[in-house]
Amino acid sequence: MRYRTLGRTGIEVSVHCLGTMMFGAIGNPDHDDSARVIHAALDAGINFVDTADMYSAGESEEIVGKALKGRRDDVVLATKVHFRMGEGRNRSGNSRRWIIQAVEDSLRRLGTDWIDLYQIHRPDENTDIEETLSALSDLVHQGKIRAFGCSTFPAEDLVEAHHVAEKRGLLRLRTEQPPYSILARGIERSLLPVCERHGMGVLTWSPLAAGFLSGKYRRTRTVDMTTGRAALQPFRFDPALPENAAKYEAVEQLAELAADLGCSLPELAVAFAATHPAVTSVIIGPRTTDQLEGLLKGARLTLDDATLDRIDEIVPPGTDVYRADAVWTPSSLTDPARRRRPLAERSAA
């Protein structure tokens, strides 16, 4: 296992990070089996574990906490806050009020006194970034978290956050966690260069492109739209939809490339995500030990320049063949009022 420094924090983490979204009700509900996967990852040299409070409504954090008993000091533990947890108001977002409560809940579920990396899961347009940075800075000073970062923030939001931190004398975002795969390379345009410029660590998620690079979905096979990811997100996998044609075409070419290299498509995908110089660690999210072993093969694969050139020909740098993050969209796109002048003003014109 290779290791890299997480931005400028001085913390050394494995190049591949164990993502735990699939542990709990939405993935593997067997706590003991999930713990075995976590232990197998640690035994393989992974020292970086990423979870979130909203994964299976806190169950993932509980599983991780139990699995790390006796091994906590050797693990760099990351979790996240933002999405709604339970009923009622003020139980989501990036406000000081919610962050202070949510971190205590995460510490309790994880069974630990500190979190190594606390991340803001998504932007919050209703909360001033200074409010968020101030709360997170206080948590570092209190010793409850060691560093903090964000996930799936636009490049311009990162620049603003660094400006506010410098202006107000606050600690700054140390990491960003964006989606990144061969089929979703858009972050190469500005986000990754911005992270490099500001010395931020980058841990990427979805190297298998939401399952599309798992090898299961091929143009030559009948896609079962009634089970698994295809049933949950048919818009991503339905071969009858024109917007999916480019994905299926790219997968066929990438599968041929993987065959020429003597590896599987998932191995190629995982290896690719760790190649960019701005990327610190690639999150892999197995549900079972067998899946973990398959993904770790990609962790041992190194891609030469000729292979990367072939990938560039199939999916050019900076290109998104599909929209990687379907969870969050800024209100500037979803709210028509943010995109249209008032009707009275249009009528007058």
Side-chain angles (χ1 to χ4, degrees):
M1 183 62 63
R2 294 168 291 162
Y3 300 87
R4 296 170 180 167
T5 303
L6 188 61
R8 293 176 185 164
T9 65
I11 301 172
E12 290 192 5
V13 297
S14 48
V15 171
H16 290 81
C17 171
L18 180 67
T20 65
M21 186 177 73
M22 298 309 296
F23 299 151
I26 66 171
N28 186 347
D30 188 324
H31 287 207
D32 291 336
D33 188 51
S34 295
R36 282 190 287 271
V37 178
I38 295 172
H39 293 159
L42 300 182
D43 293 341
I46 287 178
N47 77 332
F48 199 8
V49 177
D50 178 76
T51 186
D53 56 3
M54 59 88 66
Y55 294 164
S56 294
E59 187 180 6
S60 174
E61 286 188 327
E62 293 174 354
I63 291 171
V64 169
K66 289 188 289 186
L68 294 186
K69 285 184 177 179
R71 306 183 71 164
R72 175 66 184 92
D73 289 345
D74 298 322
V75 173
V76 178
L77 180 59
T79 191
K80 298 182 282 292
V81 59
H82 169 80
F83 288 105
R84 177 163 295 281
M85 293 290 290
E87 299 297 328
R89 297 182 181 277
N90 298 310
R91 296 190 60 81
S92 64
N94 304 343
S95 69
R96 169 180 286 272
R97 186 184 193 279
W98 175 237
I99 288 172
I100 297 302
Q101 179 178 343
V103 75
E104 296 294 345
D105 293 341
S106 287
L107 288 168
R108 172 179 49 78
R109 286 189 293 262
L110 290 165
T112 185
D113 294 326
W114 82 96
I115 294 164
D116 294 290
L117 178 62
Y118 199 49
Q119 301 157 100
I120 302 300
H121 213 154
R122 290 295 187 278
D124 180 0
E125 296 175 329
N126 296 318
T127 304
D128 194 295
I129 188 62
E130 181 180 352
E131 175 86 358
T132 302
L133 294 175
S134 175
L136 293 170
S137 296
D138 286 348
L139 291 177
V140 172
H141 297 318
Q142 294 166 13
K144 294 182 178 180
I145 65 176
R146 300 294 188 253
F148 57 84
C150 55
S151 175
T152 322
F153 271 46
E156 59 270 23
D157 284 13
L158 298 183
V159 173
E160 180 188 5
H162 282 290
H163 172 71
V164 170
E166 181 177 6
K167 184 178 180 180
R168 298 301 187 190
L170 300 170
L171 299 181
R172 60 190 182 90
L173 296 170
R174 291 294 188 178
T175 64
E176 158 62 12
Q177 185 182 137
Y180 184 49
S181 72
I182 298 176
L183 298 183
R185 303 182 60 177
I187 64 171
E188 295 173 346
R189 289 184 175 272
S190 60
L191 182 71
L192 292 182
V194 164
C195 288
E196 286 185 294
R197 191 176 307 133
H198 290 281
M200 297 180 69
V202 176
L203 46 157
T204 64
W205 55 273
S206 198
L208 299 187
F212 220 85
L213 295 177
S214 67
K216 179 179 179 181
Y217 303 100
R218 300 286 297 277
R219 190 173 56 191
T220 55
R221 300 174 186 169
T222 300
V223 178
D224 184 356
M225 300 297 298
T226 65
T227 62
R229 290 181 180 268
L232 292 173
Q233 299 177 313
F235 64 93
R236 289 193 189 276
F237 302 95
D238 190 347
L241 298 177
E243 56 265 35
N244 288 331
K247 288 196 291 185
Y248 278 101
E249 176 58 31
V251 166
E252 292 305 313
Q253 296 182 56
L254 291 169
E256 291 179 10
L257 174 56
D260 291 343
L261 296 174
C263 68
S264 69
L265 183 56
E267 289 170 29
L268 176 66
V270 170
F272 168 82
T275 301
H276 196 287
V279 173
T280 309
S281 188
V282 177
I283 298 174
I284 54 176
R287 190 182 72 256
T288 66
T289 303
D290 287 343
Q291 290 179 355
L292 172 67
E293 292 175 353
L295 292 169
L296 286 176
K297 291 180 180 178
R300 293 187 285 269
L301 179 65
T302 300
L303 305 181
D304 60 21
D305 288 340
T307 299
L308 294 172
D309 287 342
R310 289 183 64 183
I311 291 175
D312 287 349
E313 292 172 359
I314 297 169
V315 181
T319 299
D320 282 332
V321 182
Y322 80 108
R323 186 189 163 199
D325 178 30
V327 178
W328 179 84
T329 303
S331 63
S332 58
L333 299 180
T334 59
D335 183 0
R338 295 285 303 277
R339 295 180 280 105
R340 302 171 185 173
R341 291 183 178 277
L343 183 59
E345 186 175 337
R346 282 182 277 156
S347 300

